[in-house]
Structures are given as C-alpha cells and as structure tokens.
C-alpha cells in the first residue's frame, strides 16, 4: 500500500515556460498503452545526472550533465515520465577552448555541469543555459529539441548550478549559487544581465545548498535546491522573484530505491496535464554513475511540496502517472545507418570531424599518435545500461596500420579494454588494464597487457559484460569471437572503481588510435547493447 500525502494542491500548474501549448517536436511512437498498475525505480538505469525536467503540452523533456563528453547536454523525451528516449543535444560542440579538443590540454570533469532547460511560449523556443569553467554563462536555443541548436548569447557572469525561469510576463530570471543563492534578471532577449540580487543565505546547520531549479507555481516563486549528496530543500517567495524567501526541508537522508545506492536528490519538479506533480531526482549509484528515480509529490494547504513515500522511503514502485507510451529503447543494435550518429552517442571530448565518417557503418581513422587512450581523440562513448549489461562491437580491422590500437573499453578514470594491436604486420587480440588517472585527471598509467591471442582474417567481435550495481568490487569481463557465435574469454575480470570524484559513471567506449603514425582505420559494422 502506498503512503498518502496531505493537502494535494488543486490544479497547480507550472508557468508557461513549463506547460506551453506548443506543438511537440516530431517523433514516431506507438499508440498509447493501457495504464499500468505501477512503474519501478530507477525509471532509467543509465547515467543522467543534474536533472532538469520540463513539460511542453503533453511531452516531457529532460536535460542532464555531460562534463567533457561531446556533444553536450543531452535532451531526453517522454510522454509518460517513465519511458525515455534520446531526442538531441543542446550543446552541439564544446567550443570553449582547445582543451576540449584534447589539444594542448584536457577538459576532463569540466564542461557541462548542472545546467537548465526551459521553453519560452512567446516564441516557441527551447533555451539551454549553463556556465562553463566558472567563467561565463552560455545560452543555446532551438525551436525543436532535435536541433539545430545555436549559440544565442554569452553572458559575462558564471551562473553556477543555474535554473532558468520565464515568468508569466515573459521576463527571464535565473536562480543560481552555492550556499549563497542569487536571482538574476535577464534582458527581454535573454542576452544580457539586467540585475542580480542575493536572495538567500543557507543556514550553517544545513550546510551547502546548490543545484537551483526555478519555478512559479500558483503565484508563488520556488527555488528547489539540493544538499549534496543527501538532501533536498525548497525556498518559497510570495513577494516576487527577488524574495524574501523562506526555506523548508523536502528530504534528508531518505532511504532510496536502489540497493546500495545513495539518497535521491538534485532534480526537478514537473506536473502532468491533469495536475499531478512528480519529482525526478538522481541516486548516486557508482560505478554506473547517477541514475534517475521518480516519485509523486503532493502539496500542503499553504503551498509546500511533500513527497509520497512508501514505508518511510522513496518507493521502489509507484502507480504510473499516465498511460504508458512506448519510445525508442535505450538498448539494442546500431548498424550506423545513414550518414550521422544518433543522439545516444557522445565523444570523449570533441572529435576530429575529418577523421571519422558514418555511411552504413562507422569508419574510425586514427586521429592521434599516442600511447595513452585518455589522450586519444575520436573515442566514441555509450552509456552503460544497469544493473548489468553487455556491449558487443563487430570490427573490420583490415585497414589497421602498424602501431595502431583499436577496440572496446570500459572508460573512466580507471579503465580497461579488449581490442587489437597491429605490430610488424601481425594483428593480435589483447586485454589491457591499468589505465589510470590521478585526482587532477592526469594519466598515471597507460595500461598493461594482461592476455593476448593471435588473430587471422579481417573481422572480429569484441565484447564486455559489465556489472554496475552500486558498490565496491563490481567487475567487467572481456571476450571475443571470430565467428560471431562462440565467445572466448580474454584476461582477468576488471574491477570497477566506484569512487564518485570523476562524477561521470563508466561508459562503453569504441576507440582507434596510432602509436606510430596516422593513416590506419577500422570500420565498426555493428554495436549492440543487451541486458540479461
């Protein structure tokens, strides 16, 4: 039996920026399925942190952090808050300096941090806002989340962990800050700052508050804030966007729905068209990353949100908020049809666009001469499906040159891979671990070959099976096949690092780099992710 909440607000609705009756972005989806009794948490077991969530008419959109991966700031789409698919990216390229090109520097654990997604009803346009490198804030806009997204403005203020709100009169406001919370008013064209004011100082007994999300609900202004990594608070003003604000605790040390995972926190509030409210938060679930969970929200008589709990905890399941509607699955086979990568893919830093191509297969030409995977450009990444899953690539290696290294990695600050080494005209399949970084994300280990086998022909399938349930001692196993049917294990199991400091969770990564000279290539004919 689900626990009940008190004082559900009647017909509370998000502002126009969040409930605009614009035509949703075009997509193909099946007919509505019957309402199911329940959904399970996490609603999506992949790494999508620092959630911002909005509704436009009857479609929901979800933005997340991507740090050093490019394109940045993915946008997910849903029609029921439970089933999600990739729609696009708000930041097409990390053009914030050469370090994001792995050229004279590195952007690891920089780039796209907690940012904001909003919809402006007056011009039927999506806005993405985020600060980069604690230096300045960028805005991108698009009339469809699939893009094209274009740079709209650069503001010479760093709005840390910002939430963007378009008020009822269409004025743009930004709530931002860490512990000391500010609200900035932007110009009508959202290109410059008009003014900013400190609106709240976090009490010492609470500690740090950040991750602002800014709402106007029933005439009140709310700034939704997280206490990392175990709490969520909300500020309320009845007197306008600049306050004064009062604070209430939404949750603290609340047991979460993922065994071994952390406390649900940092995310956003969203309403359904019929006035039902929900909170989408993330749970720290390393080594896999930070994964989204969903819970219903009620409202007290005086306008404060309350979580619907199950046995004093965030529920492992709840009644579905809407009839469930199928979308493109997050797992399956990609044979790289057409001439562009789909939005599920992100590169480790910006790619060298002249050294890869998509044409019914992915051609990866070597783009870097190095012995360090962390320095190699054009490494293509894919989120790992939890709690356990397998990734398999089919690789044509006939174009490899001497000194080339290509394969499939478990990529993070402690990494391992299975792949091919071409030396002296001979190709071997190898398993390598011991790729490591220090706390400043400099390479401390370029890898140790742990096992190898001779290889003939021109094609091979490489496979990694990963266990990313939260906790220590989780492992990945590597194997290969020369006939696409029988797989041979190679090397020892790789123990995953479950520390949080890298922020992003492990990813599957496809790579090809040179240790001697450029010129070689591999062709990826197929990539498949599957779950037991």
């Amino acid at each position: 039996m689900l626990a009940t909440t008190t004082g559900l607000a009647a017909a509370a609705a998000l502002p126009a920026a969040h409930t605009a009756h614009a035509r949703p972005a075009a997509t193909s989806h099946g007919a509505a399925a019957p309402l199911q009794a329940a959904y399970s948490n996490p609603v999506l077991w992949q790494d999508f942190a620092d959630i911002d969530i909005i509704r436009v008419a009857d479609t929901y959109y979800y933005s997340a952090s991507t740090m050093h991966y490019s394109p940045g700031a993915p946008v997910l789409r849903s029609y029921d808050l439970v089933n999600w698919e990739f729609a696009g990216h708000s930041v097409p390229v990390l053009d914030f300096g050469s370090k994001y090109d792995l050229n004279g520097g590195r952007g690891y654990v920089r780039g796209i941090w907690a940012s904001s997604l909003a919809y402006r009803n007056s011009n039927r346009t999506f806005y993405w806002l985020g600060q980069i490198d604690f230096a300045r804030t960028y805005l991108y806009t698009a009339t469809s989340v699939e893009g094209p997204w274009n740079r709209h403005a650069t503001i010479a203020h760093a709005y840390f962990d910002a939430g963007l709100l378009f008020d009822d009169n269409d004025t743009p406001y930004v709530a931002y800050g860490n512990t000391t919370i500010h609200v900035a008013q932007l110009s009508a064209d959202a290109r410059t700052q008009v003014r900013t004011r400190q609106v709240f100082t976090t009490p010492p007994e609470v500690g740090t508050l950040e991750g602002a999300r800014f709402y106007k609900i029933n005439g009140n202004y709310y700034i939704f804030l997280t206490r990392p990594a175990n709490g969520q608070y909300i500020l309320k003003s009845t007197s306008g966007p600049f306050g004064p604000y009062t604070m209430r605790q939404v949750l603290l040390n609340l047991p979460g729905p993922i065994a071994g995972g952390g406390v649900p926190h940092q995310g956003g509030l969203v309403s359904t068209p019929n006035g039902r409210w929900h909170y989408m938060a993330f749970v720290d679930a390393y080594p896999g990353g930070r994964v989204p969970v969903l819970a219903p929200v009620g409202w007290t008589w005086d306008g404060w949100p309350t979580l619907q709990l199950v046995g004093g905890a965030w529920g492992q399941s709840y009644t579905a908020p809407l009839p469930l509607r199928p979308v493109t699955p997050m797992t399956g086979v990609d044979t790289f049809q057409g001439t562009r990568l789909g939005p599920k893919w992100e590169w480790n830093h910006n790619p060298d666009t002249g050294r890869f191509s998509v044409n019914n297969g992915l051609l990866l030409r070597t783009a870097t001469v190095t012995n360090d995977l962390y320095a190699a450009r054009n490494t293509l990444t894919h989120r790992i499906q939890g709690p356990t899953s397998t990734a398999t690539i089919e690789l044509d290696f006939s174009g490899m040159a001497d000194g080339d290294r290509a394969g499939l990695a478990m990529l993070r600050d402690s990494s391992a891979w299975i792949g091919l080494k071409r030396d002296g005209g001979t190709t071997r399949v190898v398993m390598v671990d011991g790729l490591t970084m220090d706390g400043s994300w400099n390479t401390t280990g370029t890898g140790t070959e742990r096992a190898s086998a001779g290889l003939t022909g021109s094609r091979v399938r490489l496979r990694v099976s990963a266990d990313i349930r939260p906790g220590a001692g989780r492992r990945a196993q590597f194997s290969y096949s020369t006939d696409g049917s029988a797989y041979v294990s190679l090397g020892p199991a790789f123990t995953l690092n479950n520390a949080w400091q890298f922020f992003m969770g492990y990813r599957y990564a496809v790579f090809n780099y040179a240790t001697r000279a450029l010129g070689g290539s591999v062709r990826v004919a197929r990539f498949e992710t599957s779950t037991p």
Side-chain angles (χ1 to χ4, degrees):
M1 180 69 69
L2 298 180
T4 59
T5 52
T6 58
L8 181 66
L14 281 171
H18 292 261
T19 59
H21 293 287
R23 180 176 61 86
T27 186
S28 59
H29 51 80
L35 183 67
Q36 292 188 356
Y39 65 89
S40 297
N41 277 312
V43 290
L44 174 61
W45 201 319
Q46 289 190 16
D47 185 13
F48 291 102
D50 304 332
I51 300 159
D52 202 0
I53 184 170
I54 64 174
R55 175 169 62 86
V56 180
D58 64 350
T59 306
Y60 301 89
Y61 300 98
Y62 173 141
S63 181
S65 292
T66 41
M67 304 292 179
H68 48 274
Y69 293 111
S70 178
V75 182
L76 305 182
R77 175 173 48 223
S78 176
Y79 304 97
D80 57 18
L81 289 173
V82 174
N83 297 294
W84 293 90
E85 65 182 353
F86 279 99
H89 285 83
S90 298
V91 182
V93 61
L94 307 184
D95 53 350
F96 311 119
S98 60
K99 68 185 177 186
Y100 294 107
D101 298 329
L102 287 176
N103 181 13
R106 299 176 174 197
Y108 285 108
V109 197
R110 304 288 285 190
I112 307 299
W113 286 33
S115 52
S116 188
L117 180 69
Y119 185 81
R120 194 173 199 177
N121 200 40
S122 62
N123 59 2
R124 298 187 176 186
T125 297
F126 291 90
Y127 287 73
W128 178 90
L129 177 147
Q131 66 85 26
I132 304 294
D133 292 333
F134 312 102
R136 56 188 59 85
T137 298
Y138 296 85
L139 283 92
Y140 289 78
T141 59
T143 55
S144 168
V145 291
E146 291 93 343
W149 286 84
N150 296 297
R151 177 83 60 84
H152 175 76
T154 302
I155 298 175
H157 303 274
Y159 298 141
F160 179 82
D161 277 19
L164 176 62
L165 167 69
F166 290 101
D167 206 343
D168 297 340
N169 63 4
D170 210 34
T171 301
Y173 294 99
V174 180
Y176 65 98
N178 174 297
T179 305
T180 301
I181 308 302
H182 289 73
V183 168
Q185 178 184 338
L186 304 184
S187 57
D189 61 4
R191 295 183 186 274
T192 59
Q193 177 179 285
V194 173
R195 57 176 172 156
T196 186
R197 181 183 301 172
Q198 179 180 330
V199 299
F200 189 78
T201 300
T202 303
E205 63 271 19
V206 172
T208 296
L209 290 181
E210 60 185 20
R213 298 287 172 246
F214 205 7
Y215 306 104
K216 188 177 184 181
I217 303 170
N218 286 348
N220 299 322
Y221 293 84
Y222 295 89
I223 303 176
F224 204 38
L225 298 164
T226 193
R227 179 188 188 273
N230 66 340
Q232 192 73 25
Y233 290 75
I234 194 163
L235 311 181
K236 174 187 171 187
S237 166
T238 60
S239 304
F242 292 102
Y245 284 88
T246 54
M247 180 188 75
R248 280 199 185 179
Q249 178 184 298
V250 177
L251 65 89
L252 185 65
N253 292 322
L254 181 71
I258 303 176
V263 173
H265 69 289
Q266 190 160 355
L269 298 168
V270 69
S271 69
T272 62
N274 59 7
R276 296 177 180 174
W277 284 82
H278 286 76
Y279 173 26
M280 182 80 84
F282 70 70
V283 169
D284 287 356
Y286 293 103
R290 294 170 288 176
V291 300
V293 295
L294 183 71
V297 168
W299 294 83
T300 64
W301 67 268
D302 56 347
W304 293 94
T306 59
L307 275 172
Q308 181 174 311
L309 305 180
V310 179
W314 190 293
Q316 293 184 343
S317 65
Y318 290 100
T319 301
L322 294 162
L324 300 182
R325 294 174 64 173
V327 293
T328 304
M330 288 286 187
T331 59
V333 177
D334 192 344
T335 54
F336 304 99
Q337 298 297 305
T339 58
R340 299 179 61 183
L341 290 169
K344 70 176 70 173
W345 294 103
E346 293 164 3
W347 301 93
N348 178 19
H349 295 64
N350 294 321
D352 181 338
T353 58
R355 296 190 180 273
F356 80 92
S357 60
V358 180
N359 185 6
N360 298 325
L362 170 65
L363 182 68
L364 289 176
R365 302 177 181 88
T366 51
T368 310
V369 179
T370 183
N371 66 347
D372 180 5
L373 177 61
Y374 295 125
R377 298 190 71 180
N378 290 19
T379 296
L380 186 61
T381 76
H382 190 290
R383 287 171 180 81
I384 299 176
Q385 178 69 34
T388 61
S389 65
T390 295
T392 306
I393 64 170
E394 181 180 334
L395 199 66
D396 180 339
F397 56 90
S398 57
M400 289 183 75
D402 269 10
D404 287 0
R405 310 289 185 251
L408 177 63
M410 289 288 292
L411 184 66
R412 205 168 180 248
D413 53 334
S414 174
S415 303
W417 56 268
I418 185 171
L420 309 178
K421 288 186 175 182
R422 175 83 172 174
D423 293 298
T426 299
T427 304
R428 294 179 299 127
V429 58
V430 302
M431 184 268 173
V432 175
D433 62 12
L435 292 84
T436 56
M437 289 181 172
D438 63 18
S440 299
W441 321 123
N442 300 306
T443 300
T444 53
T446 57
T448 300
E449 184 178 311
R450 301 294 299 274
S452 71
L455 200 61
T456 59
S458 62
R459 284 181 176 258
V460 67
R461 292 199 181 195
L462 306 173
R463 173 171 287 181
V464 56
S465 297
D467 177 356
I468 59 166
R469 292 172 299 155
R474 306 307 184 201
R475 293 183 173 184
Q477 302 273 354
F478 296 94
S479 59
Y480 72 99
S481 173
T482 56
D483 62 7
S485 177
Y487 281 82
V488 178
S489 294
L490 191 67
F494 171 60
T495 301
L496 306 180
N497 175 15
N498 73 322
W500 61 267
Q501 283 83 355
F502 195 73
F503 288 108
M504 308 304 290
Y506 272 93
R507 292 192 177 195
Y508 299 127
V510 183
F511 65 91
N512 183 33
Y513 63 90
T515 64
R516 298 183 186 178
L518 301 181
S521 66
V522 295
R523 186 175 187 84
V524 184
R526 174 187 173 94
F527 180 97
E528 180 177 4
T529 50
S530 60
T531 54

